[in-house]
Amino acid sequence: MRNLKAIVVLSLLVGLLLAANFAVRQGVGEVAVAGRRALVENVEGLRSIRLERKGAPTVELGKAGLQWRLRAPYLGSVDEQVVMRFLDTLAMTPITDAISDSSLLKFGRTRADFSLLDPSVRVVLSDENGERDSIGFGSVTPIPGGVYASVE
């Protein structure tokens, strides 16, 4: 049973990694980020990764020393290479366009129009100082393969 849980969590991580990798190759539209060039600017000091998906248990990874460990929905080990590829994908995903909430309102649009008020997937990254980045992935863009994302 424990192996089944590990397989399910790793499958979720691989699926999210593939989705982020697909977004990197196709380009990502981005809402409300100023002065950033990538979804994640520094993965070096990260200590916690939380993956939230609608209808799925929250997956949380924590870094103890140099090793990533699964903290939720249960305790366990993880494949370090999968975690590092996931973080690399987030760090290498370029922001191709950005628009503020006030600019969206000028066009009569809100984050809800892009499924960003309640995103289907949210990645929350925390560093050793407790500072957090939250990346919400919303609906697909009109450009094939693109995804709207919001970084907070």
Side-chain angles (χ1 to χ4, degrees), residues 4-62:
L4 178 62
K5 289 180 182 178
I7 290 171
V8 168
V9 170
L10 288 176
S11 296
L12 286 172
L13 281 172
V14 169
L16 199 55
L17 176 65
L18 290 173
N21 188 33
F22 184 72
V24 168
R25 292 178 186 210
Q26 299 298 320
V28 176
E30 207 290 319
V31 175
V33 175
R36 293 182 96 150
R37 294 183 182 209
L39 289 177
V40 177
E41 294 188 319
N42 182 15
V43 297
E44 301 286 324
L46 291 179
R47 292 288 177 236
S48 173
I49 303 169
R50 191 172 71 232
L51 306 169
E52 303 168 352
R53 283 184 45 191
K54 288 183 184 178
T58 298
V59 175
E60 186 170 345
L61 303 173

Side-chain angles (χ1 to χ4, degrees), residues 102-120:
S102 59
S103 294
L104 281 174
L105 288 174
K106 289 178 185 176
F107 295 112
R109 297 303 207 61
T110 66
R111 288 179 181 233
D113 296 320
F114 305 97
S115 301
L116 292 172
L117 278 182
D118 187 24
S120 55

Side-chain angles (χ1 to χ4, degrees), residues 135-150:
I135 306 165
F137 294 93
S139 56
V140 297
T141 66
I143 301 168
V147 176
Y148 291 106
S150 175

Side-chain angles (χ1 to χ4, degrees), residues 17 20 36 38-49 61-68 80-93 123-129 131-133 135:
L17 176 65
R36 293 182 96 150
L39 289 177
V40 177
E41 294 188 319
N42 182 15
V43 297
E44 301 286 324
L46 291 179
R47 292 288 177 236
S48 173
I49 303 169
L61 303 173
K63 191 171 187 180
L66 298 174
Q67 191 172 21
W68 286 97
E80 293 282 325
Q81 289 183 347
V82 172
V83 175
M84 295 313 295
R85 273 186 259 149
F86 174 70
L87 292 175
D88 285 346
T89 300
L90 291 176
M92 299 303 292
T93 300
V123 178
V124 180
L125 306 168
S126 302
D127 67 12
E128 58 234 358
N129 300 323
E131 294 183 29
R132 304 170 79 139
D133 277 334
I135 306 165

